[in-house]
Amino acid sequence: MEEAEMQIKGKKVTDKFTESVYVLANEPSVALYRLQGHRRGSLPELAQHKADMQRWEEQSQGAIYTVEYACSAVKSLVHSSVYFRSVEGLLKQAISIRDHMNTATQGHR
């Protein structure tokens, strides 16, 4: 009876040991399988996010260039105030001459 009992206990121990070895041997495969499944599921979404971010970066760079160009144009206008004052003076002078000529021609009539 003892021998049969020992065989049953020995079989239980070896079965548990075999199961443990099997689980340990296959655990990396299961982990890699799950990682591969996760990659397949999330990779298209990540690729779309990357494409969106690149498009937004290009649009941002374009907007930044536009703003910098507008700022340089405004700075140029500030520096050209001397020319605007000169044109204003010439316009006033032309208006004065026109008025003078109008009064002179009305005086001759």
Side-chain angles (χ1 to χ4, degrees), residues 44-55:
E45 186 179 342
L46 289 174
Q48 183 62 44
H49 283 303
K50 180 181 177 184
D52 290 343
M53 292 299 287
Q54 286 175 336
R55 186 170 32 89

Side-chain angles (χ1 to χ4, degrees), residues 19-48:
E19 184 183 339
S20 295
V21 168
Y22 179 77
V23 168
L24 288 173
N26 287 317
E27 185 60 31
S29 298
V30 171
L32 291 174
Y33 175 77
R34 289 191 177 160
L35 282 171
Q36 185 180 24
H38 177 69
R39 182 190 54 86
R40 281 186 189 147
S42 63
L43 192 61
E45 186 179 342
L46 289 174
Q48 183 62 44

Side-chain angles (χ1 to χ4, degrees), residues 13-84:
V13 168
T14 57
D15 286 347
K16 287 288 184 182
F17 181 74
T18 303
E19 184 183 339
S20 295
V21 168
Y22 179 77
V23 168
L24 288 173
N26 287 317
E27 185 60 31
S29 298
V30 171
L32 291 174
Y33 175 77
R34 289 191 177 160
L35 282 171
Q36 185 180 24
H38 177 69
R39 182 190 54 86
R40 281 186 189 147
S42 63
L43 192 61
E45 186 179 342
L46 289 174
Q48 183 62 44
H49 283 303
K50 180 181 177 184
D52 290 343
M53 292 299 287
Q54 286 175 336
R55 186 170 32 89
W56 292 333
E57 181 185 14
E58 289 171 5
Q59 290 174 350
S60 298
Q61 290 297 326
I64 289 169
Y65 175 78
T66 302
V67 168
E68 288 175 348
Y69 185 74
C71 287
S72 70
V74 168
K75 287 177 184 174
S76 296
L77 283 174
V78 169
H79 295 303
S80 63
S81 63
V82 173
Y83 302 110
F84 284 121

